[in-house]
């Protein structure tokens, strides 16, 4: 059985997928579960995952990603959406997350720390950064399952939000392109450990 480090060594960004070889519902479910289990600051899990498989929405997402080959040939996407508006310290979402994180204890100290941290003008970037934790889990899970994947950070945020009909207060953070990779993994190139 491969170790986690083996999977990390195997993971690479697939830039072209085999047409017609779809990602199954059960495979998507495993990827979503991997993302759900990711860590997040304050335990807020400031994300929502949108799966895209139908041809029309896939084309709209690919176009929002500037028709990059990895997006244009993907047979599925998981778009990680930052829940920006929900992160207001007085929102029901934050109250529910802190109550859960307190595990029956008083969440007052967590509230105090979060209120000191929270600034509406910077929370969107922070929330989008938190979404990368979920993405990392999903990318490694995809590799473990033999799926090709590629994180796509280059996109027109307004076009992507429109393609997914995101409500106000939600911001696309990252697109994960998925499918069966059309090419074998290239040699891994990384800087040496210093």
């Amino acid at each position: 059985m491969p170790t986690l480090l083996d999977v990390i060594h195997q993971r690479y960004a697939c830039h072209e997928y085999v047409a017609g070889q779809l990602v199954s519902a059960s495979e998507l479910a495993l990827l979503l579960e991997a993302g759900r289990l990711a860590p997040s600051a304050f335990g807020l899990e400031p994300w929502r995952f949108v799966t895209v498989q139908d041809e029309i929405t896939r084309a709209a997402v690919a176009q929002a990603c500037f028709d990059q080959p990895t997006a244009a040939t993907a047979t599925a996407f998981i778009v990680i959406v930052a829940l920006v508006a929900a992160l207001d310290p007085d929102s029901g979402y934050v109250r529910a997350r802190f109550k859960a994180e307190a595990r029956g204890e008083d969440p007052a100290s967590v509230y105090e720390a979060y209120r000191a941290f929270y600034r509406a003008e910077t929370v969107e970037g922070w929330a989008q950064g938190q979404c990368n934790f979920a993405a990392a889990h999903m990318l490694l899970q995809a590799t473990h399952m033999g799926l090709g994947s590629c994180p796509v950070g280059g996109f027109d945020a307004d076009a992507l939000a429109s393609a997914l009909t995101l409500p106000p207060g939600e911001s696309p953070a990252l697109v994960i392109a998925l499918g069966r990779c059309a090419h074998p993994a290239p040699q891994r190139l990384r800087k040496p450990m210093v």
Side-chain angles (χ1 to χ4, degrees), residues 111-127:
Y111 266 115
E112 184 179 327
Y114 184 65
R115 282 185 189 285
F117 161 81
Y118 180 85
R119 285 177 183 62
E121 69 275 3
T122 60
V123 77
E124 182 173 5
W126 175 82

Side-chain angles (χ1 to χ4, degrees), residues 14-160:
C14 178
H15 295 293
E16 185 179 357
Y17 301 92
V18 178
Q21 291 192 12
L22 303 179
V23 177
S24 72
S26 62
E27 288 170 323
L28 280 173
L30 282 173
L31 294 171
L32 295 175
E33 180 66 2
R36 185 184 75 82
L37 295 173
S40 62
F42 298 100
L44 283 173
E45 302 170 43
W47 50 64
R48 181 168 74 87
F49 309 132
V50 179
T51 59
V52 178
Q53 292 181 280
D54 70 276
E55 192 172 333
I56 293 171
T57 311
R58 275 194 350 248
V61 169
Q63 186 175 20
C65 294
F66 310 113
D67 285 319
Q68 299 172 54
T70 194
T73 62
T75 61
F77 293 105
I78 297 174
V79 181
I80 305 176
V81 177
L83 303 176
V84 179
L87 297 176
D88 182 280
D90 296 314
S91 73
Y93 181 84
V94 168
R95 290 181 191 282
R97 294 305 317 137
F98 285 173
K99 182 178 179 184
E101 281 292 308
R103 295 174 173 84
E105 300 293 321
D106 183 5
S109 63
V110 177
Y111 266 115
E112 184 179 327
Y114 184 65
R115 282 185 189 285
F117 161 81
Y118 180 85
R119 285 177 183 62
E121 69 275 3
T122 60
V123 77
E124 182 173 5
W126 175 82
Q128 288 178 344
Q130 292 292 302
C131 292
N132 291 324
F133 299 139
H137 275 215
M138 290 183 199
L139 292 167
L140 290 175
Q141 181 64 40
T143 299
H144 181 69
M145 296 162 52
L147 288 172
S149 65
C150 185
V152 180
F155 52 79
D156 178 323
D158 291 336
L160 185 55

